[in-house]
Amino acid sequence: MVIILIYVDDLLITGSNSSLVQDAKMTLHSQFKVKDLGELRYFLGIERLTIVDYDSYMGKSGDLELTDITTNQQLIGKLLYLNITRSDISVVTVQSLSQFMKRPKQSHMEADLRVVRYIKGSPGLGVLLQASPIESLIAYCDSDWAACPNTRRSVTGYVIKLATH
């Protein structure tokens, strides 16, 4: 299987077999002018975050582990609380960033601060609740077993729908 994600003029090609991925790249290259940027490091302006153990296993250095993790943990806690009214930051960002709270690195803190800058730059995107009684409440929850690529931990998501008639 080959999967091609398209975002404006960027393509992300992945698949279950490297030779199939190469065939897909060659097919696209024969029809269009394309440039292969190699292994994915950034997608939609987001860098792939990894755990400390993965970096040491892969021999990567330069992304230092934070000496004081308290500031990072407090920031993630505040972002998790903010999820209540800012659903645009919930699943992809804050939930992913919260997986690195045990041993955060400099890149994790930089990603956390990028989310804060996004929130400060878009103050009108939050959920506004009316001061009227809530007549119905519906909640959905789902989990994805071993979805985290770094730790193989499960990931849980939820949606709560409030309605006033």
Side-chain angles (χ1 to χ4, degrees):
M1 173 174 42
V2 174
I3 300 169
I4 302 174
L5 299 172
I6 302 171
Y7 184 76
V8 186
D9 62 349
D10 294 326
L11 300 175
L12 174 73
I13 304 172
T14 188
S16 59
N17 183 304
S18 60
S19 64
L20 289 175
V21 171
Q22 286 301 324
D23 290 345
K25 287 180 183 180
M26 294 308 294
T27 301
L28 288 169
H29 187 65
S30 68
Q31 299 294 318
F32 307 100
K33 182 180 177 184
V34 293
K35 183 177 180 182
D36 189 350
L37 299 176
E39 186 178 330
L40 179 68
R41 293 200 177 116
Y42 292 89
F43 186 66
L44 302 179
I46 301 172
E47 183 178 2
R48 186 178 179 272
L49 300 173
T50 57
I51 59 174
V52 174
D53 295 336
Y54 177 82
D55 288 352
S56 61
Y57 177 77
M58 296 301 288
K60 295 183 178 182
S61 61
D63 190 6
L64 301 176
E65 190 173 352
L66 297 178
T67 55
D68 178 21
I69 65 172
T70 308
T71 304
N72 179 269
Q73 291 174 339
Q74 289 174 342
L75 180 56
I76 291 293
K78 291 173 183 176
L79 291 174
L80 286 168
Y81 181 76
L82 192 59
N83 270 338
I84 296 168
T85 59
R86 291 296 299 257
S87 58
D88 55 331
I89 64 168
S90 63
V91 177
V92 176
T93 53
V94 178
Q95 189 173 34
S96 296
L97 293 173
S98 67
Q99 296 176 24
F100 304 102
M101 286 176 45
K102 184 177 178 183
R103 293 180 67 188
K105 301 183 301 184
Q106 185 63 39
S107 61
H108 302 140
M109 188 61 153
E110 291 168 4
D112 298 346
L113 294 174
R114 182 180 294 167
V115 173
V116 171
R117 285 192 297 273
Y118 166 76
I119 292 167
K120 286 182 76 173
S122 57
L125 294 182
V127 175
L128 300 175
L129 301 174
Q130 297 177 352
S132 57
I134 296 171
E135 297 177 9
S136 73
L137 180 137
I138 302 171
Y140 300 96
C141 179
D142 191 19
S143 62
D144 191 357
W145 184 73
C148 176
N150 293 309
T151 63
R152 305 308 300 159
R153 291 183 182 153
S154 299
V155 175
T156 301
Y158 64 91
V159 173
I160 299 174
K161 182 179 173 183
L162 306 172
T164 58
H165 296 279

